[in-house]
Amino acid sequence: MFSKTNIFIIAGIATVLIIVFIGRYLNVKNESTPKIPEPSKSFPTQQECEQTTKKQCGFKTCDFIPKGKTYEEVCGKDFRKGWVPIN
């Protein structure tokens, strides 16, 4: 009914499908875990920020938290408003 070649082809396709489904499952599982961004170091003044980082700096606040999100999800753990490098 089935030759050895056909059995190897079917087994190979089944193996690939299993690997793809496992990969999709792990990827979906990782995407559902909220990622908390790392806050960038902020400085109290624009001058201190630009002298320390050698980059142009802008003032960053985090005052809008969308419904259903936490402060840490949006702003990052230990976020502090202040001057941060923008480029």
Side-chain angles (χ1 to χ4, degrees):
M1 184 172 208
F2 287 110
S3 69
K4 286 185 178 183
T5 305
N6 288 342
I7 292 174
F8 283 121
I9 291 172
I10 292 169
I13 291 171
T15 302
V16 168
L17 289 174
I18 290 170
I19 291 170
V20 167
F21 284 120
I22 290 172
R24 298 268 304 162
Y25 170 76
L26 293 175
N27 190 34
V28 168
K29 187 176 178 182
N30 287 338
E31 287 177 1
S32 65
T33 305
K35 295 182 173 90
I36 298 175
E38 289 292 321
S40 53
K41 179 170 173 31
S42 63
F43 297 88
T45 67
Q46 182 179 12
Q47 184 179 14
E48 183 180 342
C49 177
E50 291 177 350
Q51 285 177 349
T52 303
T53 63
K54 306 291 189 244
K55 296 180 179 179
Q56 184 179 1
C57 294
F59 195 76
K60 183 174 182 182
T61 63
C62 190
D63 52 4
F64 175 72
I65 310 299
K67 187 175 182 177
K69 296 283 187 176
T70 66
Y71 183 80
E72 284 189 342
E73 286 176 311
V74 176
C75 305
K77 188 177 179 195
D78 301 325
F79 174 81
R80 301 276 188 258
K81 66 181 177 179
W83 294 90
V84 296
I86 57 173
N87 56 1

